[in-house]
Amino acid sequence: MSASASASPASPIGPTPADATASPAGGGEAEARLTLDYLLRRMRSKQDFPALSASISRVQALSESDSDSLQTLCDEILQDVALTQKLLRVVNTVQYRHAGGGGGIGTVSRAVALIGFAGIRNLALSLVLLERMENKSHARRLREDYLRSLMAAALARELCPSPREAEEAFLGAMFHHLGRSLTEFYFPEEAEAVRRLVSPTEAGQAGITEEAASTHVLGMSYEALGLGIARQWGLPEGLQRAMRRPVGEVPQRSLEDAAERQRWLARASNDMADLLLETPPEQAHARLHALAQRHARALGITAESFEDAVDKARRQLTQITEALDLQLPKDSRAQRLLVPLTPAPDDTLTLHELTPTMTLERTQASLGT
């Protein structure tokens, strides 16, 4: 049943994976619009969604404007006291403080002048999401999701071969799973229903793809939901393209088209962040190396660069976590994102271990997940 089929808020549904796979994706463009409108109405009924949308839309618009001044952007950020405080704490971490000549950065205008419009925009947009999530009752899972997205974004920026495109790569990777993140924010029961469908059953039956599961539970896929909201927020076309996960096998040639390279970079960075979040630290190095080998040629970088990028992104994430005083329980999966990537003594994947990983990637690619 799609979300558009009911006038009341959708409740989690729990069919077997086989049932979910058999469910049709929908009735075309008109039904997709109705479903998106229904989900947006539910989000707007939450107290903080209109404020979130307005903040993201204004910061994005101001940072792209040719006519608005630096002061206009600063004034917009200063209207949100909590955002201002978080922003100044982050820009005073080691990662950014060197730009200030060694001294502290005490004003938003100085932060913008030193780090640039694009850098401040990216920080502001990510911190807006965090600010809203802190008020949720299921904050632990939301913080994990936030840190996973921030890790993917930092990885994309570090891996981007073009410095001019690095900040756009950051934003494309951060919003790559916007639909999933917002479902976790606003529809936690539906998000849990999707996870149940994706996970293997107790009987050992394989789960279905996240695309199929989210389509079954919400009436549209996470990606379609994220893109619909991105359009509502006025996010630029280039960013919306980067949010579309590329399908098929990873190209075996270097990608010359910048837009297509950004899409594959967002996919690789998010796959890496997912891998780090889901994998025990002692296994992460070998699995990351296998993933890097599959993506290196297409992105025009060496497989070894991935390990260096993970190290830099991890240090950045650690600094931000400490600056914002994000308390993570010791058993939180997000702790894995902060653990240094260290080769194990037997740090190799056998062909038997690697084959399921490659098979899963091919299956997801063929289904567009």
Side-chain angles (χ1 to χ4, degrees), residues 3 31 90 95 165 168 195 236 277 297 306 313 351 353:
E31 182 171 344
V90 171
Q95 176 190 353
E165 300 170 5
E168 295 304 318
R195 280 192 293 275
L277 189 68
R297 184 185 295 273
F306 282 74
L351 183 60
E353 292 171 318

Side-chain angles (χ1 to χ4, degrees), residues 153-189:
L155 284 168
R157 182 167 55 196
E158 292 299 329
L159 288 169
C160 187
S162 168
R164 287 190 306 111
E165 300 170 5
E167 292 299 340
E168 295 304 318
F170 179 100
L171 211 56
M174 187 175 76
F175 282 154
H176 193 65
H177 286 304
L178 179 64
R180 181 207 288 172
S181 298
L182 291 178
T183 301
E184 196 71 67
F185 276 35
Y186 296 104
F187 312 136
E189 293 180 336

Side-chain angles (χ1 to χ4, degrees), residues 91-172:
V91 298
N92 277 287
T93 60
V94 174
Q95 176 190 353
Y96 295 101
R97 197 163 52 226
H98 71 278
I105 301 173
T107 64
V108 172
S109 58
R110 180 163 170 75
V112 176
L114 290 170
I115 297 170
F117 265 43
I120 290 296
R121 172 201 59 184
N122 290 355
L123 277 177
L125 292 179
S126 66
L127 292 170
V128 164
L129 293 176
L130 173 63
E131 182 186 343
R132 303 299 169 186
M133 99 171 48
E134 286 188 326
N135 299 322
K136 296 292 183 181
S137 59
H138 53 301
R140 172 170 170 165
R141 185 173 288 280
L142 291 174
R143 285 185 180 185
E144 288 183 358
D145 183 75
Y146 169 77
L147 290 172
R148 190 216 67 82
S149 296
L150 203 56
M151 171 59 89
L155 284 168
R157 182 167 55 196
E158 292 299 329
L159 288 169
C160 187
S162 168
R164 287 190 306 111
E165 300 170 5
E167 292 299 340
E168 295 304 318
F170 179 100
L171 211 56

Side-chain angles (χ1 to χ4, degrees), residues 5 14 18 63 68 81 83 95 133 144 164 238 270 333:
S63 65
D68 286 304
V81 176
L83 173 61
Q95 176 190 353
M133 99 171 48
E144 288 183 358
R164 287 190 306 111
N270 275 271
R333 295 184 311 158

Side-chain angles (χ1 to χ4, degrees), residues 68-80:
D68 286 304
S69 66
L70 180 151
Q71 190 58 50
T72 307
L73 177 61
C74 295
D75 290 343
E76 180 62 38
I77 294 173
L78 287 168
Q79 290 182 36
D80 190 326

